[in-house]
Amino acid sequence: MARKIAAGNWKMNGTEAALAEVEALAGMIGTPDCEVLLCPPATLIDRMVARAEGSVVAVGAQACHPATSGAHTGDIAADMLADAGATQVILGHSERRADHGETDADVAAQAAAALTAGLTAIICVGETEAERDAEVTLNLVASQLAGSIPEGADPARLVVAYEPVWAIGTGRTPTLDQIAEVHTHIRAELTQRLGAAAIDIPLLYGGSVKPGNAAEIFAVNDVDGALVGGASLKAADFAGIVTALSAA
Ligand code: 13P
């Protein structure tokens, strides 16, 4: 069984004042039976690490550059994220793919850099609504995975998040059968590529996860947790999701 992870992606939200949510969250969840991760904007990583100290909340990042240093204005290297206290990094989020034109090959290069820096790589895949309507979801997700996982990646430091683009921030979610179909397919693809160790790679579902729908999603086969956007910004909402995962 893969370990369970409740991960929050704060996206481009949060300044100093938002860090009060971390202490509130820690107080609400105690020691749950799952990992808890928050990925704030890079500007808050080291401050969040300080505020989360002594709690179960780990801190991650949302993107990294594939190079270790150099002339890349505005970018951040994986080593720098680790130095700031991040232990994991989200890569290939659909917003990065759309806003910054990141390709599968870019994501693989970023993931290789993240793994070299000692970070866990949370690799995101998922279809647009047009792709789902065209019934290419399973093939697309398989090809995103194949292209985004670097050669020689250590399965123990990989996490995969399935995030249908049309479910992000929309309040819409796939049916439980649709989630099960994609997660089963991802597990099979990972097993084919990485062998038996793929059974231990956490598969997260992301897209409009809320306290109210978390438990039914976590009951789906091969769903080991969630990558949560909007509902990770408020401690009470995210605590509800953590509690549901802990009980799953
Ligand atoms: P929402 O939970 O706001 O739909 O966002 C999901 C997401 O993109 C997490 O990475």
Side-chain angles (χ1 to χ4, degrees), residues 9 11 93 95 163 167-170 206-210 227-231:
N9 174 7
K11 307 190 179 184
H93 192 282
E95 289 152 14
E163 298 206 314
I168 294 174
T170 59
S208 296
V209 178
K210 311 279 180 224
L227 182 55
V228 183

Side-chain angles (χ1 to χ4, degrees), residues 29 31 39 98 112 136 147 163 191:
I29 59 178
T31 51
C39 301
V136 299
E163 298 206 314
T191 302

Side-chain angles (χ1 to χ4, degrees), residues 112-194:
L115 296 173
T116 301
L119 300 173
T120 290
I122 303 173
I123 295 179
C124 303
V125 296
E127 81 286 3
T128 63
E129 185 153 37
E131 288 161 343
R132 176 157 285 277
D133 290 345
E135 298 182 4
V136 299
T137 297
L138 296 183
N139 283 344
L140 176 93
V141 164
S143 97
Q144 287 177 325
L145 268 184
S148 302
I149 295 177
E151 282 309 316
D154 176 2
R157 283 202 285 115
L158 289 180
V159 174
V160 172
Y162 167 55
E163 298 206 314
V165 178
W166 53 274
I168 294 174
T170 59
R172 299 166 59 205
T173 54
T175 65
L176 300 179
D177 283 348
Q178 287 171 328
I179 295 174
E181 181 184 38
V182 178
H183 278 240
T184 301
H185 190 64
I186 290 173
R187 183 77 69 200
E189 291 292 319
L190 291 173
T191 302
Q192 199 171 29
R193 166 100 180 252
L194 300 165

Side-chain angles (χ1 to χ4, degrees), residues 49-95:
V49 168
R51 300 282 275 264
E53 207 186 321
S55 80
V56 299
V57 179
V59 180
Q62 300 175 14
C64 74
H65 193 278
T68 52
S69 64
H72 304 288
T73 301
D75 278 313
I76 303 177
D79 261 343
M80 296 168 175
L81 299 173
D83 179 61
T87 55
Q88 328 211 4
V89 58
I90 299 168
L91 297 171
H93 192 282
S94 59
E95 289 152 14

Side-chain angles (χ1 to χ4, degrees), residues 8-11 13 19 38-45 48 59-62:
N9 174 7
W10 277 17
K11 307 190 179 184
N13 296 290
L19 292 173
L38 284 177
C39 301
T43 49
L44 286 182
I45 290 173
M48 186 179 279
V59 180
Q62 300 175 14

